[in-house]
Amino acid sequence: MTTIATWNVNSLRTRLEHLKKWANERDPDIILLQELKCQEEHFPREAIEDLGYNVAILGQKSYNGVAILSKSPVEDIVYGLPTFQEDEQARYIEAFVDGVRVASVYVPNGQEVGSDKFAYKMKFLKALRKHGEDLLVQNEPLVIAGDYNIAPFVSDGHSPERFKGERILCSLQERETMRSLYNTGFIDGFRLKYPDTLPESQGQFSWWDYRSGSYQNNKGYRIDHLLLSPKAADLLQDAGIDPETRSEQRPSDHAPVWIKLSNG
């Protein structure tokens, strides 16, 4: 069994102790991190290696940054989206690990619908879809996971009313773009295990605003996703979210999301 987790840590050095505690408890084989907010020379490599992980990182000073942590060797590393080579932000890293191709992706937030940053978000997602199509042709177990900054369906947010307008994270344009990834052939690992028609699937979120008691009142969104190729989906055994990390002192505003795959 292989456990693959994704977590936007919102500054790795600030949340390092949280990561260490959670990694020791959950013991995932592969961890895909986003929003490191540090360059490679400031990455706490020794502390991560002490947990038993090999590291591949694409860092950026103060912003963004993605990494792959793996208990197995990390091979065939791809730094940045091949279909968006002009992008200067550190938002995508990919590698082949223990029989599975994995990628850690940090999709732009977009700020507000219609802004320049929103246009950048749409451009990034278009490039991600194109690269995803290229990878699916290889017909191998594939997981593209991370902070997509999109709640695809009404059940992925705490208030249906917020999906009726042009709010960031749940605007129609964003959700249609996310669904285009599904139409390409990717499958949402969490929703494959927990369809939104099931009662236990309701109110399952991965991000809560720091303001207004959002976490305490579970006013969140499910915006962190593990998208699986058909071959990876065939191996899916379990999935979940670990929201208790959000109750720590000075936590990330995101919780880890994970899947378990059989070894074929």
Side-chain angles (χ1 to χ4, degrees):
M1 198 80 70
T2 299
T3 301
I4 303 173
T6 180
W7 194 1
N8 178 327
V9 290
N10 191 10
S11 179
L12 178 57
R13 289 182 291 174
T14 301
R15 323 294 176 199
L16 180 59
E17 293 306 312
H18 297 338
L19 174 64
K20 290 164 63 176
K21 177 183 176 183
W22 169 81
N24 283 322
E25 292 173 352
R26 173 61 62 186
D27 194 29
D29 301 281
I30 302 167
I31 305 174
L32 307 170
L33 298 178
Q34 302 88 43
E35 212 169 351
L36 306 177
K37 295 185 178 179
C38 68
Q39 293 172 302
E40 185 166 356
E41 58 266 31
H42 297 126
F43 186 89
R45 183 178 294 270
E46 184 176 347
I48 299 300
E49 290 176 345
D50 285 346
L51 292 172
Y53 292 98
N54 300 294
V55 175
I57 173 178
L58 179 62
Q60 183 176 340
K61 184 178 181 181
S62 302
Y63 299 97
N64 308 317
V66 285
I68 297 171
L69 317 183
S70 171
K71 292 187 176 180
S72 300
V74 181
E75 304 171 323
D76 193 21
I77 304 170
V78 177
Y79 297 95
L81 262 176
T83 48
F84 196 7
Q85 294 184 352
E86 68 270 28
D87 190 17
E88 297 180 352
Q89 298 192 18
R91 293 185 175 274
Y92 184 91
I93 188 169
E94 170 193 317
F96 194 76
V97 180
D98 197 22
V100 182
R101 184 166 297 279
V102 297
S104 179
V105 60
Y106 178 36
V107 173
N109 174 275
Q111 195 172 47
E112 63 179 46
V113 176
S115 67
D116 290 344
K117 290 184 177 180
F118 187 79
Y120 167 55
K121 182 176 190 174
M122 294 296 104
K123 186 175 182 180
F124 183 94
L125 285 164
K126 182 178 180 181
L128 180 64
R129 184 178 70 245
K130 177 62 174 68
H131 184 53
E133 291 171 349
D134 295 341
L135 291 177
L136 286 172
V137 171
Q138 298 179 24
N139 196 30
E140 61 187 357
L142 165 68
V143 178
I144 301 181
D147 177 4
Y148 282 79
N149 267 312
I150 299 172
F153 300 99
V154 173
S155 55
D156 295 318
H158 66 89
S159 170
E161 291 300 316
R162 292 176 175 266
F163 287 79
K164 295 180 179 179
E166 289 298 299
R167 290 177 179 269
I168 201 69
L169 307 183
C170 48
S171 71
L172 180 60
Q173 189 174 347
E174 289 169 284
R175 291 186 286 127
E176 287 179 339
T177 303
M178 188 72 185
R179 288 198 289 269
S180 74
L181 285 167
Y182 303 149
N183 294 336
T184 298
F186 285 100
I187 299 131
D188 184 326
F190 181 81
R191 283 295 178 221
L192 184 59
K193 181 67 179 178
Y194 296 105
D196 59 8
T197 53
L198 298 178
E200 60 265 35
S201 302
Q202 305 302 316
Q204 295 264 22
F205 307 132
S206 65
W207 175 82
W208 302 261
D209 199 313
Y210 284 126
R211 297 167 294 183
S212 304
S214 294
Y215 174 70
Q216 291 77 6
N217 295 300
N218 201 30
K219 292 183 176 180
Y221 294 90
R222 193 180 68 93
I223 61 175
D224 302 87
H225 310 292
L226 295 106
L227 299 192
L228 282 56
S229 69
K231 274 209 165 182
D234 286 343
L235 302 174
L236 184 70
Q237 299 297 310
D238 201 1
I241 302 173
D242 292 339
E244 62 275 6
T245 61
R246 185 62 172 77
S247 65
E248 300 281 359
Q249 292 293 319
R250 300 186 68 204
S252 169
D253 45 354
H254 295 254
V257 185
W258 52 269
I259 58 171
K260 290 187 177 183
L261 304 181
S262 65
N263 294 328

